[in-house]
Amino acid sequence: MMRRWRGRFRRPRAWRRGGPVFRGWEQGHPLLLTAALGVGMAAAVILALEARLQPIVATAARAQAVNTLTAVVDGAIAAGLGEQGVSYSDFVAVQRDETGGITSLVTDMTAMNRLRTRLVAQVLSALEEVEVSQLAIPLGSLWDSDFLWARGPKLRVHAMRVGTVSAEFSSQFSEAGINQTLHRIYLDVQVPLTLILPGGQTETTVSAQLCVAETVIVGQVPGTYLTVGQ
């Protein structure tokens, strides 16, 4: 007959309450709690700074992007107009009667649309050469303090993605003297932007208006202003 083993089962030493593993966990517990609290406080500070930083970065990014692209658009259109050598008579014909009085102004929209197509192509080509804007925001600007404003380390932010460029012509008449009228033809350019910022993005539009042609019309300008072409 087999004898029953009556020995008492003992847990491994490492798992007994007084064992080295349990004692190590008890001793390390305050350190883990302190580390968890530190991580939580750091996360809270980061979230607070991000909430305060985002509107400041958005404002700075919008201003810098608008200034940069406005200069690019103005330069591209000015260069295009210089290459084309356009004049007021290329687009508008002043019709007069037998006495020399002005009867109407006739605009050739076909010629204007051709010019607009060329200028928009030059603007797009110039915008493709613009690198992603590098914005530098001083961290001291996050606080309402004159002493800290624009001081401290700078936060680098990538911004600017160009959308579709649109352009339309507009016309303006203004008095230039006795019985004289200044007529200007403008090209209004719109460049939509998406600014990529920490924590999200914001939309804005760069608007530029440039004078394409102008002339001083001597005589009373009639209310008739005709367009020719599509």
Side-chain angles (χ1 to χ4, degrees), residues 133-144:
S133 178
Q134 293 287 339
L135 306 179
I137 310 300
L139 295 181
S141 300
L142 300 177
W143 311 105
D144 296 328

Side-chain angles (χ1 to χ4, degrees), residues 3-159:
R3 294 183 179 180
R4 297 179 60 186
W5 181 72
R6 298 182 180 179
R8 186 172 60 180
F9 175 77
R10 295 184 178 181
R11 290 179 297 177
R13 185 181 179 185
W15 291 99
R16 287 181 291 173
R17 183 172 180 77
V21 173
F22 193 86
R23 285 200 303 270
W25 183 86
E26 277 187 329
Q27 295 173 358
H29 184 67
L31 296 178
L32 293 177
L33 180 60
T34 302
L37 290 175
V39 171
M41 292 179 63
V45 171
I46 291 174
L47 291 176
L49 287 176
E50 185 175 296
R52 185 178 180 85
L53 176 66
Q54 188 170 3
I56 297 176
V57 173
T59 301
R62 190 179 297 110
Q64 183 167 333
V66 169
N67 292 337
T68 300
L69 290 195
T70 299
V72 173
V73 172
D74 290 351
I77 294 179
L81 292 175
E83 293 175 0
Q84 298 294 326
V86 298
S87 63
Y88 181 85
S89 59
D90 294 333
F91 310 114
V92 181
V94 180
Q95 305 292 334
R96 300 179 181 270
D97 57 18
E98 295 81 0
T99 63
I102 301 174
T103 58
S104 64
L105 302 177
V106 181
T107 303
D108 188 350
M109 288 303 299
T110 301
M112 295 182 69
N113 286 333
R114 284 198 300 265
L115 176 63
R116 178 178 59 180
T117 301
R118 297 191 190 100
L119 294 179
V120 169
Q122 288 195 257
V123 169
L124 288 173
S125 177
L127 291 176
E128 289 177 356
E129 299 178 0
V130 178
E131 298 180 356
V132 176
S133 178
Q134 293 287 339
L135 306 179
I137 310 300
L139 295 181
S141 300
L142 300 177
W143 311 105
D144 296 328
S145 172
D146 295 336
F147 177 76
L148 296 177
W149 182 259
R151 297 175 181 270
K154 295 183 179 181
L155 177 66
R156 300 290 177 178
V157 178
H158 296 279

Side-chain angles (χ1 to χ4, degrees), residues 2 28 33 41 50 61 64 80 99 117 160 169 189 191 206 213 221:
M2 296 181 60
L33 180 60
M41 292 179 63
E50 185 175 296
Q64 183 167 333
T99 63
T117 301
M160 200 162 44
F169 284 105
V189 182
V191 182
V206 175
V221 177

